[in-house]
Amino acid sequence: MKITEIALQNQNSAWQVIESTHLMEIWESMGAEIHLVGSLRSGLLMKNLDIDFHIYTPEVNIKDSFLAIQTLAQNPSVRKVQYKNLLVTEEECIEWNVWYQDHNFRLWQLDMIHFRKESLYDGWVEKVTDRIIQVLTPELKEIILQLKFDIPDDWKVPGIQVYKAVIADGIRTYPEFVEWQKEHVADNFLAWIPI
């Protein structure tokens, strides 16, 4: 099976997970603005079954945030929930990680970052994701998907590192990426956007 076909199958499965959890409707019902970001939105979802959302409300109310997750957790396929309070950091957010088991017994991680609207990172990842989509060519997309496929399952590499390596620095193969990553492990990838 071609690498692009595997990616497309995973994307279709990811949308089924989103629909079956009613995740977007749950957050919207509490007045939140919810944005899909990351690899699913950019068409670069490969082996790492991760779905990323950024959620915005005028203020981040812990009680309301817990209420949304409580509603989501009533889904019998939700297996685990993790909470991180980062409200006192510059991110001004709550980070939720929810693990969902699909009908094929695959475990998906739903990452939901609940931000205060107009905080420092409001819209930044959305802007980066849009820019990645704009600069992707079919060739770059296939290279990124192949790299994500080749990276061993026990080596957790954020997608943004792969995108920067390929788009900005011309990395084309897994051995090249291994060497590149050693030299760039301390880089601030959060600040990078394709030019």
Side-chain angles (χ1 to χ4, degrees):
M1 185 179 297
K2 288 179 62 177
I3 208 79
T4 50
E5 292 171 359
I6 297 170
L8 186 58
Q9 281 184 356
N10 283 339
Q11 287 174 56
N12 290 337
S13 296
W15 280 109
Q16 289 172 8
V17 170
I18 292 167
E19 289 169 15
S20 66
T21 60
H22 303 287
L23 183 152
M24 298 181 80
E25 295 89 343
I26 289 168
W27 284 102
E28 288 169 349
S29 72
M30 59 170 278
E33 187 179 316
I34 182 165
H35 298 224
L36 178 66
V37 295
S39 61
L40 177 57
R41 180 164 169 212
S42 60
L44 297 171
L45 183 65
M46 182 40 72
K47 289 191 308 186
N48 189 12
L49 304 180
D50 211 2
I51 306 172
D52 301 301
F53 290 95
H54 281 191
I55 296 147
Y56 300 94
T57 51
E59 296 299 327
V60 177
N61 181 300
I62 293 175
K63 182 180 175 184
D64 289 345
S65 202
F66 265 91
L67 185 59
I69 297 301
Q70 177 186 335
T71 304
L72 178 60
Q74 291 177 38
N75 186 307
S77 294
V78 169
R79 296 291 180 253
K80 180 180 169 185
V81 174
Q82 182 175 293
Y83 161 82
K84 196 181 296 181
N85 185 334
L86 302 171
L87 290 172
V88 295
T89 69
E90 67 177 6
E91 287 102 338
E92 296 184 64
C93 67
I94 294 174
E95 183 177 319
W96 291 103
N97 309 108
V98 172
W99 285 265
Y100 175 94
Q101 188 174 61
D102 70 14
H103 63 279
N104 291 317
F105 304 102
R106 297 194 306 171
L107 208 56
W108 291 80
Q109 183 173 326
L110 310 174
D111 295 329
M112 295 162 280
I113 316 271
H114 184 184
F115 290 98
R116 180 182 65 79
K117 191 85 176 131
E118 299 180 12
S119 59
L120 181 63
Y121 292 103
D122 181 353
W124 174 250
V125 174
E126 291 88 334
K127 184 177 177 181
V128 172
T129 304
D130 286 344
R131 187 65 190 137
I132 289 167
I133 292 166
Q134 290 168 357
V135 301
L136 270 185
T137 63
E139 179 193 7
L140 288 176
K141 183 175 184 176
E142 194 156 343
I143 291 165
I144 289 169
L145 291 173
Q146 187 65 56
L147 274 175
K148 285 182 151 192
F149 185 81
D150 293 342
I151 291 170
D153 293 344
D154 60 350
W155 185 20
K156 297 299 178 195
V157 177
I160 194 74
Q161 288 188 17
V162 178
Y163 309 153
K164 183 178 188 300
V166 172
I167 295 168
D169 296 334
I171 298 303
R172 295 295 180 260
T173 66
Y174 176 69
E176 289 175 358
F177 178 75
V178 171
E179 292 307 310
W180 177 92
Q181 210 270 344
K182 289 176 189 173
E183 296 173 14
H184 293 84
V185 70
D187 289 5
N188 178 11
F189 293 98
L190 190 59
W192 177 75
I193 188 168
I195 54 171

